[in-house]
Amino acid sequence: MRHERQAKALRILGLSVAIGLGVILTACSSAPAATSAPISVTVPPTIDASPTALPPTAMVVAPTATTAPTEAAITPTLGAADMPACTSPAALTPAQTEGPYYKANSPERTSLIEPGMGDTKLIVTGYVLTTDCQPIAKALLDFWQADDQGAYDNAGYRLRGHLFTDETGRYTLETILPGEYPGRTEHIHVKVQPPHGAILTTQLYFPGVAANDRDSIFDPALLADVQDTAEGQVATFNFVVNTP
Ligand code: FE
């Protein structure tokens, strides 16, 4: 009996040891699970990878965002059809003599037409540009010219006036085609001054005028592009000036 009890005790002890070992082994086998924790620690690199993937996305967006305003700034203001033909660096508009008939302090106006000036209406339009082909807003243009008989008004300001380019750098003057006078072909005098810039004094000419060849200061670089439109003759000329 005693032996049986001892044997049973030993079996129980053996069983306990086995269970103990099992627990230890289980604990040990779960240890790898604990060591597999570093594997789950390797997940953060995945998170690290996604932030790495984000900047390129942000960079793709950024250039799109920066180019958009540039296009938006040009497209609505000028429009593809109205963009002045200009290749950078553009040649400066040649200067010409002021002549004897300039008068300061002309009135600001966009039309020089007054009653009794005849029906030789002319629209002079274009841009004032930098040598980089950038339009210049608020540039001053001061025009003076002879009437259709070739006479200047030196007492008052008939056919004299100044205006400014708009935000797109464009100007438009309504006037009449000037007449010729001895020694001079048809021409319009103008002073152009960008904001805070130097004054360019020059003259505009018209194509197809026989007297151009007989005018000693005529310069073909100052020929306007004249088109017949429903609104009358439109002379286009873009001035290229130095800027401060
Ligand atoms: Fe003149």
Side-chain angles (χ1 to χ4, degrees):
M1 250 334 247
R2 189 176 177 186
H3 287 293
E4 281 179 12
R5 262 189 251 132
Q6 283 177 343
K8 186 177 181 181
L10 281 173
R11 279 200 301 273
I12 292 170
L13 181 62
L15 185 62
S16 300
V17 168
I19 292 172
L21 282 172
V23 169
I24 290 168
L25 283 173
T26 306
C28 288
S29 65
S30 66
T35 52
S36 71
I39 295 174
S40 63
V41 171
T42 58
V43 170
T46 312
I47 296 168
D48 285 344
S50 48
T52 312
L54 280 177
T57 309
M59 288 175 70
V60 168
V61 170
T64 310
T66 51
T67 51
T70 309
E71 290 174 359
I74 294 172
T75 308
T77 50
L78 297 183
D82 293 331
M83 285 289 284
C86 183
T87 303
S88 178
L92 289 168
T93 299
Q96 289 218 310
T97 178
E98 176 180 291
Y101 302 121
Y102 175 70
K103 282 182 69 175
N105 304 315
S106 70
E108 178 178 354
R109 51 186 171 180
T110 56
S111 177
L112 304 182
I113 294 179
E114 294 173 28
M117 285 186 175
D119 55 0
T120 53
K121 180 180 170 182
L122 176 73
I123 293 171
V124 184
T125 188
Y127 291 88
V128 178
L129 306 168
T130 67
T131 52
D132 293 331
C133 299
Q134 296 303 304
I136 302 174
K138 297 183 175 62
L140 167 69
L141 296 104
D142 194 0
F143 295 95
W144 72 104
Q145 67 172 84
D147 63 17
D148 59 352
Q149 300 301 306
Y152 283 89
D153 176 11
N154 296 310
Y157 286 92
R158 191 166 178 261
L159 289 170
R160 299 172 186 270
H162 73 269
L163 51 78
F164 297 88
T165 54
D166 62 18
E167 291 305 311
T168 72
R170 188 167 194 163
Y171 71 91
T172 300
L173 175 75
E174 188 182 63
T175 184
I176 61 166
L177 195 66
E180 300 174 15
Y181 57 91
R184 295 308 319 276
T185 186
E186 297 174 4
H187 63 280
I188 294 178
H189 296 266
V190 61
K191 288 179 180 285
V192 185
Q193 182 180 28
H196 313 294
I199 298 172
L200 165 70
T201 300
T202 191
Q203 303 181 31
L204 295 185
Y205 298 94
F206 304 93
V209 179
N212 285 347
D213 296 335
R214 302 192 296 270
D215 189 318
S216 61
I217 66 168
F218 166 76
D219 184 344
L222 295 167
L223 276 172
D225 174 33
V226 179
Q227 303 290 331
D228 286 315
T229 74
E231 299 173 40
Q233 282 196 314
V234 176
T236 302
F237 190 87
N238 298 324
F239 297 94
V240 179
V241 298
N242 279 316
T243 45

